[in-house]
Amino acid sequence: MARRLLRASAAPAPCGAIDWETPVLDEVWFCRPERLSLFGTPLWEEMDQQQRIELSRHEMASFMSAGIWTELCLIQLLAKYMASSRNFSDSRGHYALTEVADETRHCVMFGRAIRAIGCDTYAPSPVVQKLFALAGTLYSELSIFALALVIEEVNDRLQREIVRDERVQPLVREVCRLHVTEEARHVSFARTELLDTAARTSRPRLLLQRELTAVSAFVALAQRIHPDVYSAAGLDAVRARREARSNPHYRETLRWSGERLIGFLTQAGMIGPLQRHWWRRAGLLP
């Protein structure tokens, strides 16, 4: 698997392949409106078309900002995996390092895209950043590759929809197209490594890594919609956050985005009865 992925990665598509001069079009969505956090709410019905499009601009900027932060976290985890395994001379180690290079370019690509659509980045809170730093000392190969799938598979499904939707800004669609091409290889690698590692993990260690993965997934996925996007879009932030939290349309989007991930992690033994509470809070289970 690793050798095949290395061959497929021989000529990566750099973010320089994107035409960054592509204009941002008026009256064109920045993501699919049906996937926005306020779609179908009473507040949504009160918003005019320009307000809805502006919300899509800021939610996309938040989505990409969360992508940068989570991929930076993944880079650190992959570096830890390499340092602990000392797997420097075989194909598995070489592909892990290739993925680090891919993720670095993705961070640059998302950063340039955020600037191109006219937004600032939305950073996670200092508390969240400190929590990751503390939890990082506890992650093993098992949780590293499980979290890689959390970071990649949920976003991948949303981006594949965007690529096919001609209502969305051409620049955003091109960024998503390049991203999903490389993420497909990352998902294959993480799934293979996770299954291999799970087969060699003792039950007590598996239980600990299950819990750590579930809590970390909840924290990571909560960063996708930054609370400041609503005020940035000119909305009543308190009301918007309240309606978004209880919005059945958005809850269904979260469950849909995580269907394949949850199925695979359950099959791999990474979700047990005690962890379902955290996966529900993350929105990936009903």
Side-chain angles (χ1 to χ4, degrees), residues 36-50:
L36 292 171
S37 63
L38 291 176
F39 179 81
T41 62
L43 180 55
W44 178 267
E45 298 304 322
E46 296 172 18
M47 296 162 63
D48 60 32
Q49 184 72 353
Q50 190 54 48

Side-chain angles (χ1 to χ4, degrees), residues 128-201:
V128 169
Q129 296 184 51
K130 289 178 181 176
L131 282 173
F132 172 77
L134 291 171
T137 61
L138 301 174
Y139 293 128
S140 72
E141 285 182 45
L142 203 58
S143 48
I144 287 172
F145 288 108
L147 285 172
L149 291 171
V150 170
I151 291 167
E152 292 164 349
E153 290 215 47
V154 171
N155 293 341
D156 181 78
R157 198 165 196 197
L158 290 164
Q159 289 179 93
R160 286 180 184 275
E161 265 200 340
I162 289 172
V163 171
R164 298 189 298 267
D165 196 328
E166 295 185 357
R167 296 175 298 170
V168 178
Q169 295 280 348
L171 177 63
V172 172
R173 291 171 61 203
E174 182 62 10
V175 167
C176 290
R177 185 188 68 78
L178 286 175
H179 191 241
V180 299
T181 299
E182 292 186 342
E183 290 299 315
R185 296 195 288 268
H186 300 173
V187 168
S188 295
F189 182 65
R191 284 186 169 218
T192 303
E193 290 293 295
L194 177 60
L195 290 174
D196 178 66
T197 303
R200 297 182 281 104
T201 301

